[in-house]
Amino acid sequence: MRALLPLLLIAWLAGCAASPPGAPVERRLAATPEATLREAMALLMERGYVIRHADIDLGRLDAVLARMPGYGIALRVSPGVEGGSRIEALATRGGRALPPDLLAPWLADLEARLRPSP
């Protein structure tokens, strides 16, 4: 009986461990990585996100929603194979990955803002 209690405690605590993040949404854009990251930062701030970390040289941006429910977005931007840029975006809430389709409207707005004007 004494050995059972520690095993149950370990099993219960194992359920509290953070699960690995889900797969990020990936898009390819015609704009340069720097322009993509700057525009993404501006769009996030317009929507009420606070930029916690942004590094253009590393192509990273992490932001959190300034109000409840505490969503976070992590972006990684790198040069594309055929020019332009490749963006990976991951939405989280409470450290857990959210479904990728939640980022679709935001990514569509980002693409529209980066599209060259006619």
Side-chain angles (χ1 to χ4, degrees):
M1 186 69 173
R2 282 186 142 181
L4 183 59
L5 184 59
L7 288 174
L8 286 174
L9 183 60
I10 290 171
W12 178 68
L13 289 175
C16 297
S19 59
V25 178
E26 185 180 318
R27 295 275 171 94
R28 300 203 188 301
L29 303 169
T32 66
E34 181 179 334
T36 299
L37 203 57
R38 287 185 189 280
E39 199 60 43
M41 188 173 3
L43 184 58
L44 284 167
M45 288 189 298
E46 287 173 16
R47 299 216 173 153
Y49 282 82
V50 175
I51 307 303
R52 293 179 63 198
H53 174 80
D55 190 320
I56 291 177
D57 294 333
L58 294 176
R60 295 181 56 163
L61 187 145
D62 295 310
V64 292
L65 194 57
R67 59 187 183 281
M68 293 305 280
Y71 294 121
I73 294 182
L75 302 177
R76 306 298 175 255
V77 181
S78 57
V81 176
E82 299 173 2
S85 59
R86 176 178 161 259
I87 185 170
E88 293 180 3
L90 179 66
T92 59
R93 179 177 180 197
R96 296 180 189 248
L98 294 171
D101 60 332
L102 290 176
L103 285 171
W106 183 83
L107 286 168
D109 289 346
L110 179 63
E111 287 181 86
R113 289 174 81 156
L114 290 168
R115 210 171 282 135
S117 55

